[in-house]
Amino acid sequence: MTQPKSFLRQFLSPWGWAALAALVGALLSLALAQWGAETARRLAEEGVDTTAEILTTRITSHRDSDGDTRHDYEVTFRFAVDGALREDYEMVSQSYYFSVARGDVVPLRYWRQDPSVSELEPGTAATNALIGQIATGITGVATLILGWLGWSRAAAAAWMHRHGVERRVTVTGHVDTSVKVNNVPRWRATWIEADGRPGRTRMARKEALPEVGSQITILVDPNARRPSMWQGDL
């Protein structure tokens, strides 16, 4: 039998990498939630109400990874702190953006200890905190699910390497999984075992799979409780 992949490599490919990405997302979302909550607290407890003059408004557009166009709405403004003028900007909602224009005087609240912490659109900090909390929950659950999938995959491969019995089968076909990674389709090779049970490889690029009609080595569970595995997946 060929040397199997390490447990870590089996875990990472592909679910483990996805779990790590979800974990990073969870940590970033948690940071957003904490920042928003702390900003909202500071403005509520030590905020100073004043007015600001709208200087400019700007819309920036960009495409995300799915090809959808996203718009960001930016407003720059000027306000006075202890007789000195300060300029700042804030990303606002679409509704707020279209409700103001250059030269308008609008309410503003800033933190007494640091005027750079301010809120032009009421409730922005609290909204950011709520978004961060929701995103943390979603990405946290995703991390657990993806991590479990990666662990199960690695554990199944390790068990089959220790206890599986080698058999020779013929590849009967290639099946498109409708899954793409980096815009490259993923396929599975299929076979029929001697007892009539179907089997399939893990997802891979088509060129990485054994050819249809070729003979391959698989490992089967002696007790027929676990699905068989292609040796090349181990």
Side-chain angles (χ1 to χ4, degrees), residues 102-119:
R102 181 178 179 181
D104 286 354
V105 177
V106 297
L108 173 77
R109 173 172 288 191
Y110 65 86
W111 186 29
R112 188 184 306 275
Q113 296 185 37
D114 182 3
S116 67
V117 179
S118 62
E119 188 173 76

Side-chain angles (χ1 to χ4, degrees), residues 21-232:
L23 178 60
V24 172
L27 294 175
L28 292 175
S29 298
L30 179 60
L32 173 64
Q34 293 180 329
W35 171 79
E38 180 63 16
T39 300
R41 184 195 66 78
R42 289 171 173 174
L43 292 174
E45 296 179 0
E46 303 177 69
V48 177
D49 290 316
T50 185
T51 58
E53 178 188 359
I54 303 298
L55 299 178
T56 63
T57 58
R58 184 178 66 166
I59 300 177
T60 56
S61 303
H62 58 88
R63 291 185 179 276
D64 59 22
S65 57
D66 295 325
D68 298 324
T69 302
R70 175 181 173 180
H71 304 293
D72 293 324
Y73 303 91
E74 179 184 300
V75 174
T76 60
F77 54 92
R78 177 170 55 208
F79 62 105
V81 179
D82 298 329
L85 292 177
R86 296 179 59 96
E87 291 187 9
D88 207 342
Y89 73 95
E90 185 173 317
M91 308 305 294
V92 298
S93 66
Q94 181 183 20
S95 59
Y96 184 89
Y97 180 88
F98 286 109
S99 71
V100 298
R102 181 178 179 181
D104 286 354
V105 177
V106 297
L108 173 77
R109 173 172 288 191
Y110 65 86
W111 186 29
R112 188 184 306 275
Q113 296 185 37
D114 182 3
S116 67
V117 179
S118 62
E119 188 173 76
L120 192 64
E121 182 177 12
T124 298
T127 299
N128 287 336
L130 178 60
I131 292 173
Q133 291 167 0
I134 294 173
T136 299
I138 293 174
T139 51
V141 171
T143 299
L144 293 176
I145 293 175
L146 293 169
W148 178 81
L149 288 172
W151 184 271
S152 299
R153 175 190 176 102
W159 188 95
M160 192 62 74
H161 178 71
R162 292 194 303 268
H163 306 291
V165 177
E166 292 188 3
R167 295 283 187 270
R168 296 287 288 178
V169 295
T170 301
V171 177
T172 57
H174 290 159
V175 178
D176 187 353
T177 65
S178 299
V179 174
K180 291 185 178 181
V181 178
N182 295 327
N183 209 33
V184 177
R186 289 301 190 256
W187 295 70
R188 296 180 190 270
T190 60
W191 63 81
I192 301 295
E193 297 175 31
D195 59 3
R197 290 197 304 167
R200 61 183 187 177
T201 63
R202 291 174 172 172
M203 292 189 297
R205 299 186 309 275
K206 193 172 185 178
E207 59 269 21
L209 296 174
E211 296 181 358
V212 176
S214 63
Q215 288 279 311
I216 61 172
T217 299
I218 64 171
L219 280 84
V220 301
D221 180 356
N223 299 315
R225 296 176 180 175
R226 301 167 183 255
S228 58
M229 297 182 67
W230 175 40
Q231 192 178 67

Side-chain angles (χ1 to χ4, degrees), residues 3-25:
Q3 183 68 24
K5 302 173 185 176
S6 67
F7 190 93
L8 177 62
R9 186 177 174 187
Q10 289 280 4
F11 170 78
L12 291 175
S13 178
W15 302 115
W17 286 117
L20 292 176
L23 178 60
V24 172

